[in-house]
Amino acid sequence: MTTDSKKITRRHVLLGAAGIAGGATIGISGSSLLSGAEAAPACQLPAMPWPYKKLDVEYVRKLGHLGYYKSNCSSGIFYAIFKALSQKVGYPYTAFPYEPVGQNLMDWGGGGGLLWGAMCGGLIGSLTVINMVSKDYKTIGNELIGWYTETPFPSEISNGYASRHEFLHAEFPPEFKGKYNTDKVLPQSISGSPLCHISVSKWCNAAGIKAFTPERAERCARLTGDLAAKAVDLLNRAADGQFIPMFKTPDIVTTCGSCHGKGGSQEDTLAPALKLDCMGCHDGHSMK
């Protein structure tokens, strides 16, 4: 095997996963992945980023809400944006298994990654899509995460859709019988963090509602729609050449970084959170 043939990028891995998830057998050097089986035709998908066309933000918001009820926050957002792109662009999105049925590509991301409460599953799903469709995925993704930490959820738009019954109820899975958990206007909260655990906990505390309730689930469904809509809004702006990053790293990060950043007396503790507001998890202390 040559040195070049050994190089496998993360995007090659993702493309391979796409073919496997869709039931295709990917040919490697003319051989089959299935021992003793005849090699199937290679599933040819284009290199990323894939083509993007501007989408209807509000349509995607409603698809995101629906996608949550079809599966969860992570695969729900992936479903919402990919469904809209499959309708607007066609191939290669039509060749990718984006429907959240059974085990799918993004199912693991729900609840902050297998219910570990880490990064919000909605961010996991939307950042994956942004990575697949934009060469500027780092800049756009950073903006989306920053926006998430500073935005009250659920949005007034989603609260309005719910109270007026304007979500896509007819397409809900059979177990919901065309209905969702509640049509109440839900309280809002700002997470200050991209973490699922903090986002949900702060909302529950602000709303006076427990986590394992229909109202909390509906809050996350509306958040899923809001996040899908914002991701598309940013991608639309980038497509028009009008994307301007707005998120600024909180001043407290610089303050804390004087000790905990590179070269500081305690630089080992800040390295994983160079953009995140420290006070979201830690108590402050006076600077000497």
Side-chain angles (χ1 to χ4, degrees):
M1 181 180 291
T2 66
T3 301
D4 289 341
S5 66
K6 294 179 181 179
K7 295 178 180 178
I8 302 176
T9 67
R10 61 189 177 85
R11 292 188 174 183
H12 288 135
V13 172
L14 182 56
L15 288 175
I20 294 171
T25 301
I26 309 298
I28 300 179
S29 301
S31 64
S32 173
L33 290 175
L34 302 177
S35 176
E38 182 179 353
C43 177
Q44 298 295 329
L45 290 173
M48 296 177 191
W50 288 358
Y52 180 84
K53 290 184 180 180
K54 292 173 62 177
L55 301 174
D56 183 329
V57 170
E58 296 310 315
Y59 175 55
V60 172
R61 192 189 309 271
K62 293 178 180 179
L63 284 176
H65 181 268
L66 172 64
Y68 178 89
Y69 279 98
K70 280 177 171 282
S71 181
N72 60 42
C73 49
S74 181
S75 58
I77 283 188
F78 194 85
Y79 155 81
I81 303 178
F82 257 58
K83 181 177 179 67
L85 284 170
S86 71
Q87 295 169 339
K88 192 73 174 285
V89 178
Y91 178 84
Y93 302 99
T94 51
F96 199 94
Y98 61 82
E99 283 282 350
V101 178
Q103 183 174 337
N104 58 78
L105 179 66
M106 301 309 303
D107 190 53
W108 68 273
L114 301 176
L115 300 179
W116 276 76
M119 176 174 277
C120 170
L123 282 172
I124 292 172
S126 52
L127 291 171
T128 300
V129 174
I130 291 171
N131 180 70
M132 295 175 73
V133 307
S134 175
K135 62 182 178 60
D136 297 321
Y137 67 92
K138 291 182 180 180
T139 304
I140 297 174
N142 183 71
E143 181 71 9
L144 184 67
I145 297 172
W147 173 85
Y148 178 99
T149 65
E150 299 176 340
T151 299
F153 292 114
S155 72
E156 293 182 4
I157 295 175
S158 283
N159 269 339
Y161 286 157
S163 64
R164 298 190 300 270
H165 291 206
E166 293 178 3
F167 279 123
L168 304 176
H169 303 154
E171 299 179 46
F172 271 43
E175 60 267 31
F176 291 98
K177 299 180 181 179
K179 297 180 180 180
Y180 51 113
N181 284 322
T182 179
D183 59 5
K184 296 178 182 177
V185 172
L186 296 174
Q188 297 175 309
S189 69
I190 298 174
S191 69
S193 168
L195 300 182
C196 166
H197 166 61
I198 294 178
S199 180
V200 170
S201 296
K202 284 191 173 181
W203 182 84
C204 288
N205 289 334
I209 296 173
K210 293 184 177 181
F212 295 97
T213 59
E215 289 82 4
R216 198 281 307 158
E218 173 60 20
R219 173 264 185 186
C220 286
R222 295 180 198 178
L223 181 152
T224 300
D226 292 335
L227 195 48
K230 184 61 178 182
V232 164
D233 174 57
L234 295 176
L235 289 169
N236 285 352
R237 295 186 191 187
D240 282 338
Q242 297 180 352
F243 169 69
I244 300 175
M246 301 297 291
F247 175 73
K248 303 295 183 183
T249 301
D251 291 340
I252 191 65
V253 175
T254 302
T255 301
C256 294
S258 62
C259 287
H260 299 283
K262 184 177 181 180
S265 60
Q266 301 179 57
E267 72 172 60
D268 57 319
T269 58
L270 182 65
L274 296 177
K275 301 175 183 178
L276 183 61
D277 187 337
C278 309
M279 297 301 103
C281 296
H282 301 279
D283 293 330
H285 57 264
S286 60
M287 301 293 294
K288 294 182 179 180

